[in-house]
Amino acid sequence: MENLLAPLMFIGVFAMIFLGYPVAFALGGTSLIFAFIGISMGLFEWGLMYALPQRIFGVMSNLVLVAIPFFIFMGVVLEKSRLAEDLLTTIGKLFGTLRGGLALAVVFVGAMLAAATGVVGASVVAMGLISLPIMLRYGYSKTLSTGVILASGTLGQIIPPSVVLIVLADQLGISVGDLFLGALIPGLSLAGMYAIYVGLVAKVSPASAPALPPEVRDAAGWKLARQVLTVLMPPLVLILLVLGSIFAGIATPTEAGAVGAVGAIGLAAVNRRLSWRVLREASEYTTSLTAMVMFILVGSTAFALVFRGLNGDLWIEHLLTTLPGGRIGLLIVANLAIFVLGFFLDFFEIAFIIIPLLAPAAALLDIDLVWFGVMIGMNIQTSFLTPPFGFALFYLRGVAPPEVRTSEMYRAVIPFIVIQLIGLVLIMTFPEMVTGLVNR
């Protein structure tokens, strides 16, 4: 029975999550239940629970995690002040002469919003509200329109500054700056593969991705170039300030996030879009999401404490380090597990439950944790698109017109999930995509 409690605890927490209990309470509740079972059987020391308040205090005083609300706030301010809308509209005009131009604009702006916000919900909702009606109006197929919006919106998970990467860096015990730098080339490569796919669809099926009619393009030549520069340069400068200061070692991610938050407020003010409503809504969303993250962190801290007290860490470590194939075996099992769990769980749940179990085994097998973290980040990104619980699907469903059926959205994401998996295989095959910049 001593060897069964840790596996049963692991199974128990997933059972509670699948039954619909909030993740934070499933983690905390399972921890308390198994702590009492362990104490009653003489397999767990009650004195270990005295360490819980200290560990929770350690989580709350973690300065790296303070970057999360800053980047969330920055992204939501850009979305609520309609600066993202201006970006989409203007870049749409720039690419509008091309077949598939609107879809290419969505990919381009998705990458820009990812680098400016790192928040999937804000990106998907903004592009769903602005681009989807226009694309449908001018003859784009529903599958291409919804698929490219959903996939481009999730680029915020792999292109820095990403909330996912901050959480992964914290759980893996590595530098956020290194993880940001390592994810830069894979993230931009993924956006490039999306653009190539759009180009292929436009070539093979021109009717599903037509160019915009001339009467819609109300700007051209120098007028359009000036409009693009005016709209594009301010967020681009903000991105360079935020990411450049982190990569150059001038600022920590938390300090850079604060600069980004102030910069977003400044951009909104300069464009006369700043209001109490924008600030209130951005603050409410940031507070809500940050509170959810903190509650999950508290629950995962309790889970980790009890799990280790029942020797679960040794069980997982032995299980993962003795897999056939060694490092390759661990990588295959880890990626398969995360991909399958992504069908049912949010990325926060995967990051806080699974990653602390995988990290020690990866370190023992001498796997580069920055490379490992970027690989997991690319894999976790699929969790936003995979039915039935992909969060990006729910975000877009909430703002999509009634004529777009949910089943069409499910079909639309399949090619982009395949592209993400190709990106994952490329990272595994060519680690230099990640380590090249980090080790310079």
Side-chain angles (χ1 to χ4, degrees), residues 170-313:
D170 178 68
Q171 295 297 304
L172 289 168
I174 57 178
S175 163
V176 175
D178 285 349
L179 200 54
F180 278 5
L181 201 57
L184 195 59
I185 292 175
L188 294 177
S189 300
L190 187 61
M193 286 192 285
Y194 289 165
I196 291 169
Y197 172 73
V198 168
L200 290 173
V201 171
K203 187 171 183 61
V204 172
S205 176
S208 59
L212 283 176
E215 61 271 15
V216 179
R217 306 192 295 269
D218 58 357
W222 284 109
K223 182 182 178 183
L224 179 58
R226 187 166 56 250
Q227 189 175 338
V228 169
L229 284 175
T230 304
V231 173
L232 189 63
M233 286 308 294
L236 195 58
V237 169
L238 181 61
I239 291 166
L240 291 175
L241 279 174
V242 172
L243 292 181
S245 61
I246 296 173
F247 295 156
I250 299 170
T252 66
T254 302
E255 292 164 345
V259 170
V262 173
I265 293 173
L267 285 180
V270 167
N271 286 273
R272 298 182 180 178
R273 307 278 181 80
L274 189 64
S275 65
W276 285 114
R277 181 188 62 81
V278 168
L279 287 175
R280 186 183 70 252
E281 290 180 359
S283 299
E284 287 174 353
Y285 185 85
T286 302
T287 303
S288 172
L289 191 54
T290 305
M292 182 194 75
V293 174
M294 289 299 109
F295 268 109
I296 294 175
L297 262 174
V298 170
S300 66
T301 302
F303 178 84
L305 179 64
V306 177
F307 193 68
R308 286 190 173 95
L310 296 171
N311 296 321
D313 55 334

Side-chain angles (χ1 to χ4, degrees), residues 23 27 59 65 68 163-164 166-168 170-171 292-301 303-304 346-357 380:
V23 177
L27 288 166
V59 168
L65 296 177
I68 292 175
V163 173
V164 170
I166 295 171
V167 172
L168 286 176
D170 178 68
Q171 295 297 304
M292 182 194 75
V293 174
M294 289 299 109
F295 268 109
I296 294 175
L297 262 174
V298 170
S300 66
T301 302
F303 178 84
D346 179 35
F347 77 90
F348 280 124
E349 298 157 12
I350 295 173
F352 290 135
I353 299 172
I354 303 301
I355 305 310
L357 304 177
I380 286 179

